[in-house]
Amino acid sequence: IREQINIGIAVAMDGGLIVVTLRDADKKTLRQIGSEVPTIANRVRDGKGQPGDMGGQTFTTSNLGMYGVDEVIPIINMPDSAILGIGGASPQAVVRDGQIVARTMMTLTLAGDHRVTDGAEGAQFLGEIKRLLENPWGLVL
């Protein structure tokens, strides 16, 4: 168990992906996170990274949905405890109350280090993300 929650965010650069780090993410508002992540990513992309901009993450996210990828199978960056793969969101036919309707759907995949966590905890975590995405006011209230 770590004292800090530092989230790594995979960022595309010429020549590949890098992981920038949002430090103390659990202590920040969504507004702060929304402001800090692009600032750090752009600084590192421009070759002006500062100490702490990379490394030391405890969990990473990798969003390849913007490239038209529907599903991602991410690989854990050590010493992370897990990595979340985020696919693209797109309209799909689903059944709701016995009717076929169009809904925006996306696939999330989670790879966890079983020395730190297990599949049951991972499933609970994904369930909580699903709940928050389906009821986003829970993120701001």
Side-chain angles (χ1 to χ4, degrees):
I1 297 177
R2 308 237 178 110
E3 291 182 23
Q4 289 184 299
I5 308 280
N6 300 327
I7 303 298
I9 299 103
V11 175
M13 290 185 59
D14 292 336
L17 291 174
I18 58 150
V19 176
V20 300
T21 306
L22 176 67
R23 303 214 175 268
D24 296 313
D26 58 318
K27 297 179 177 114
K28 296 185 175 165
T29 65
L30 281 178
R31 183 176 298 233
Q32 289 172 308
I33 291 169
S35 170
E36 286 183 36
V37 170
T39 299
I40 296 167
N42 289 331
R43 188 168 54 227
V44 170
R45 270 194 205 109
D46 293 341
K48 299 176 183 172
Q50 298 175 357
D53 282 348
M54 297 172 58
Q57 69 273 1
T58 54
F59 182 93
T60 294
T61 62
S62 181
N63 179 1
L64 298 180
M66 76 262 308
Y67 295 106
V69 174
D70 292 327
E71 296 181 25
V72 180
I73 302 174
I75 298 171
I76 302 169
N77 301 306
M78 297 308 290
D80 287 12
S81 57
I83 183 168
L84 179 68
I86 304 166
S90 61
Q92 296 178 20
V94 297
V95 177
R96 293 290 189 263
D97 299 320
Q99 301 293 315
I100 298 173
V101 295
R103 292 289 187 263
T104 301
M105 305 294 287
M106 67 186 292
T107 299
L108 301 175
T109 52
L110 183 70
D113 182 339
H114 281 247
R115 294 171 295 181
V116 179
T117 188
D118 61 37
E121 284 182 332
Q124 290 170 346
F125 178 73
L126 287 173
E128 180 64 7
I129 291 173
K130 178 181 184 284
R131 185 187 72 76
L132 289 168
L133 289 174
E134 289 176 346
N135 302 287
W137 283 109
L139 291 167
V140 293
L141 296 178

